[in-house]
Amino acid sequence: MSESLVVCDVDEDLVKKLREFRFRKETNNAAIVMKIDKDKQLVILDEEHEDISPDDLKDELPERQPRFIVYSYKYQHDDGRVSYPLCFIFSSPVGCRPEQQMMYAGSKNKLVQTVELTKVFEIRNTEDLTEEWLREKLGFFR
């Protein structure tokens, strides 16, 4: 079964963009949304967003297609400190075509390793991507 699982490579330009994104100086929320080019079997850039809340970001995601998101989030800690965690969010909505689901699921780990992220989350419904959900997930990384 695993022989048929397609793991996609990551576009070189996208890798550069993600590295730059990791070291950005801006203090607003921002996102890089990625998709898979099925014909090239390559993870590519879909959209970039500056100054976008989790609630606005969910409105930008397709309801029936998977996406990978790297999200820089301004996180206000309970003690007043501010940090800017880089989160990897795999949006894999219920109702996607199974082959699409497999292609994304099979490529997720390679992409996470390529961008060297540790805060990896998954949503099955785009409506779940809210400020409260993200704060709850990040609460484990104090």
Side-chain angles (χ1 to χ4, degrees):
M1 181 73 183
S2 61
E3 302 86 48
S4 64
L5 183 63
V6 178
V7 178
C8 299
D9 283 321
V10 184
D11 180 64
E12 279 306 311
D13 292 337
L14 178 58
V15 172
K16 287 184 198 128
K17 184 174 285 298
L18 289 166
R19 283 206 184 99
E20 290 166 12
F21 189 72
R22 169 182 227 127
F23 297 109
R24 66 196 281 276
K25 302 286 184 248
E26 294 81 5
T27 58
N28 59 344
N29 294 344
I32 291 180
V33 180
M34 297 156 282
K35 65 182 180 180
I36 289 180
D37 180 326
K38 199 173 63 181
D39 300 330
K40 294 180 183 171
Q41 295 187 348
L42 204 60
V43 179
I44 59 170
L45 177 68
D46 186 20
E47 300 175 323
E48 291 182 80
H49 300 280
E50 282 291 329
D51 206 17
I52 188 165
S53 71
D55 295 290
D56 290 339
L57 180 58
K58 78 175 172 206
D59 296 336
E60 298 294 326
L61 297 175
E63 285 180 27
R64 296 268 180 254
Q65 293 180 354
R67 287 293 183 269
F68 300 121
I69 304 119
V70 174
Y71 189 53
S72 177
Y73 177 66
K74 184 176 181 177
Y75 183 62
Q76 187 89 36
H77 295 266
D78 295 336
D79 61 8
R81 291 176 303 123
V82 176
S83 63
Y84 301 92
L86 214 50
C87 308
F88 182 92
I89 303 167
F90 175 33
S91 171
S92 179
V94 177
C96 296
R97 290 195 323 271
E99 64 274 9
Q100 200 176 27
Q101 202 99 17
M102 293 282 287
M103 192 177 254
Y104 275 80
S107 302
K108 181 183 107 177
N109 288 342
K110 179 170 180 142
L111 182 56
V112 168
Q113 289 168 350
T114 301
V115 294
E116 301 172 359
L117 295 178
T118 55
K119 295 167 183 68
V120 180
F121 312 122
E122 188 168 330
I123 54 173
R124 299 287 292 161
N125 180 341
T126 54
E127 290 302 308
D128 293 343
L129 184 55
T130 62
E131 189 101 28
E132 293 76 18
W133 175 84
L134 189 56
R135 289 189 61 78
E136 181 184 312
K137 293 289 187 189
L138 288 170
F140 296 109
F141 290 96
R142 294 186 207 288

